[in-house]
Amino acid sequence: MASLVLPLLMMGVATGCAEEYPQSSISPHTDFAEIIHSLYVSIFWWSMLILAVVWVLLAWVIVKYRRKSEDEKPRQIRGHLGLEIGWTIGPALIVIAIAIPTIQAVFATQQPVADDAMTVEVTGHQFWWEFHYPEQGVTTANELWLPVDQPVNLRLESNDVIHSFWVPKLGGKRDLNPVPAVREGQDPKYNWLYFTPRETGVFMGQCAEFCGQSHALMAMRVVVETEEGFQDWIDRWFASEGADFPGDPEPEEPELQMPGMDPDDEPDETQVAAEDEDPLVALGRETFLNSTCIACHGVEGTAAQGVIAPNLTLFGARKTLGAGIMENNQENLVRWIIDPQGIKAAVAMPGTEYPGGNWPATGLSDEEVEAVAAYLLSLK
Ligand code: CUA
């Protein structure tokens, strides 16, 4: 009896410990995740039913057909037509009962996209996530911002190998494939993922397809905001640089003017504000904008227009760096800029003394690294 009690007790303890896990797949927060979850729950109860039937029969057989004496021999039988038909038809009916909602769920999660859905182009890279909002003209990395109750249509593709988008509370997994070239006149074949977030919050996600050495270090966050909160984020994205920036680009055409291009401009309040700017941040901006960093990274409203590495606009507002692997603060960012590959194997970014991917070492001094980190964290 003790051999049964202990496992049962441990099972109770284990399930009792279940708190709110950040990547729980049984805590749906979108229509998509609810469909998957209801399927999971129904299959769970079918399994429980089968388990109960098997255990009750097993217990009954064990008790009823115990050998009562040393020389007792059970009644010998061969075949039982009724039983055989029963255990063939029974499971077949159960499989059909599970297949019907499963097929319905497949269609429900592949339904045509609503006309008012917001598109986000998601691109997987070794080893980070790029999110481009074509309607808003915004590009960001590793933190996907979405408005609540707004259908969103994610267009999934990969820049290199196959990755998989998976934010368990919201939806997925769905693969990001390199999109094969097509003949003229044909449409490229993207994977799409379509859902409507039901509540605000921060949801954790993870690449779910082995994509190389740092696959396990390819995490993401989805920030579901109110409509106003999302719009505010978009507005801040366009204003993150410039507000306290000498030679501030004109707001109406930010991409046409570079910092410092208008020395003749009348001093205005933006230039006054710049005077109280932290000198470390100012040095960091100058260093960053004159370094090889900008060959790969972009910051809206500046000369940094690189597109092959994570866009760093509003970088200081991100919770984590390196695609969700550590807290985004000065100390970690300095370590990252000095030696990204020591923290995350096979990352394409060069360090201060070591090349990375196809890029030579940046050669930044310790003081310059501190300054660049302070500048990037000021972008929020
Ligand atoms: Cu990307 Cu695994």
Side-chain angles (χ1 to χ4, degrees):
M1 200 58 189
S3 61
L4 188 65
V5 169
L6 191 65
L8 279 177
L9 211 62
M10 285 171 66
M11 208 164 81
V13 170
T15 51
C17 287
E19 50 178 270
E20 186 66 3
Y21 288 102
Q23 291 193 163
S24 169
S25 56
I26 51 170
S27 170
H29 290 77
T30 63
D31 51 346
F32 182 108
E34 276 158 16
I35 291 168
I36 304 289
H37 183 66
S38 68
L39 194 59
Y40 169 77
V41 168
S42 79
I43 292 173
F44 173 81
W45 286 116
W46 277 112
S47 314
M48 285 298 109
L49 178 70
I50 294 164
L51 184 77
V53 169
V54 169
W55 278 19
V56 165
L57 282 176
L58 185 66
W60 178 68
V61 167
I62 287 171
V63 172
K64 180 155 180 3
Y65 295 98
R66 271 182 90 87
R67 191 162 71 162
K68 288 168 189 87
S69 64
E70 278 298 314
D71 52 356
E72 187 191 336
K73 208 175 170 200
R75 184 164 65 92
Q76 302 298 301
I77 54 167
R78 186 172 173 279
H80 189 298
L81 190 63
L83 207 54
E84 283 167 15
I85 290 174
W87 71 40
T88 304
I89 289 179
L93 290 177
I94 293 173
V95 168
I96 290 169
I98 291 173
I100 290 170
T102 303
I103 292 166
Q104 283 172 338
V106 168
F107 281 94
T109 54
Q110 305 275 349
Q111 64 195 318
V113 173
D115 289 338
D116 63 340
M118 182 180 88
T119 299
V120 182
E121 295 168 5
V122 181
T123 306
H125 298 260
Q126 285 170 314
F127 302 90
W128 58 281
W129 303 89
E130 180 179 346
F131 303 112
H132 177 62
Y133 300 70
E135 292 141 43
Q136 290 81 1
V138 162
T139 303
T140 189
N142 302 326
E143 269 186 24
L144 171 64
W145 283 61
L146 298 174
V148 72
D149 293 328
Q150 158 72 51
V152 61
N153 194 23
L154 305 179
R155 193 191 80 174
L156 308 173
E157 77 175 300
S158 171
N159 187 52
D160 34 56
V161 299
I162 300 174
H163 305 270
S164 184
F165 183 98
W166 193 35
V167 183
K169 291 182 179 181
L170 302 183
K173 311 158 180 169
R174 197 156 288 169
D175 280 3
L176 296 89
N177 299 319
V179 175
V182 291
R183 286 166 209 257
E184 222 175 311
Q186 288 180 322
D187 289 332
K189 294 269 186 291
Y190 292 101
N191 274 356
W192 298 84
L193 183 62
Y194 171 59
F195 58 72
T196 308
R198 297 279 198 226
E199 42 192 295
T200 58
V202 179
F203 303 95
M204 313 291 279
Q206 171 71 43
C207 178
E209 177 71 47
F210 182 71
C211 53
Q213 252 182 310
S214 285
H215 154 71
L217 304 179
M218 187 171 167
M220 75 182 112
R221 279 173 159 69
V222 180
V223 182
V224 178
E225 263 289 353
T226 58
E227 177 61 42
E228 303 76 51
F230 176 75
Q231 194 51 50
D232 176 62
W233 178 74
I234 297 285
D235 295 343
R236 282 193 293 135
W237 194 91
F238 284 106
S240 77
E241 264 290 7
D244 57 352
F245 198 11
D248 188 24
E250 293 300 321
E252 56 271 19
E253 41 185 21
E255 66 283 341
L256 294 182
Q257 290 193 355
M258 295 305 171
M261 274 175 65
D262 277 301
D264 300 336
D265 272 1
E266 289 294 306
D268 57 19
E269 61 207 79
T270 61
Q271 286 182 324
V272 174
E275 279 165 21
D276 347 305
E277 191 185 36
D278 183 345
L280 194 64
V281 170
L283 173 66
R285 174 187 296 114
E286 199 194 321
T287 307
F288 179 80
L289 294 176
N290 288 293
S291 73
T292 51
C293 305
I294 64 172
C296 305
H297 292 286
V299 175
E300 177 66 15
T302 74
Q305 295 291 323
V307 294
I308 62 176
N311 187 294
L312 300 176
T313 310
L314 289 184
F315 178 83
R318 289 184 202 154
K319 309 268 187 304
T320 62
L321 70 99
I325 63 174
M326 53 191 187
E327 196 189 328
N328 191 15
N329 58 34
Q330 177 78 14
E331 190 192 336
N332 285 340
L333 185 53
V334 164
R335 281 175 55 215
W336 175 263
I337 296 170
I338 292 173
D339 184 18
Q341 290 158 65
I343 297 170
K344 186 166 172 175
V347 75
M349 176 166 154
T352 52
E353 292 176 27
Y354 301 98
N358 299 319
W359 305 93
T362 58
L364 296 179
S365 69
D366 287 353
E367 193 202 1
E368 287 171 329
V369 170
E370 287 284 347
V372 167
Y375 164 61
L376 294 175
L377 288 170
S378 78
L379 301 173
K380 54 187 168 190

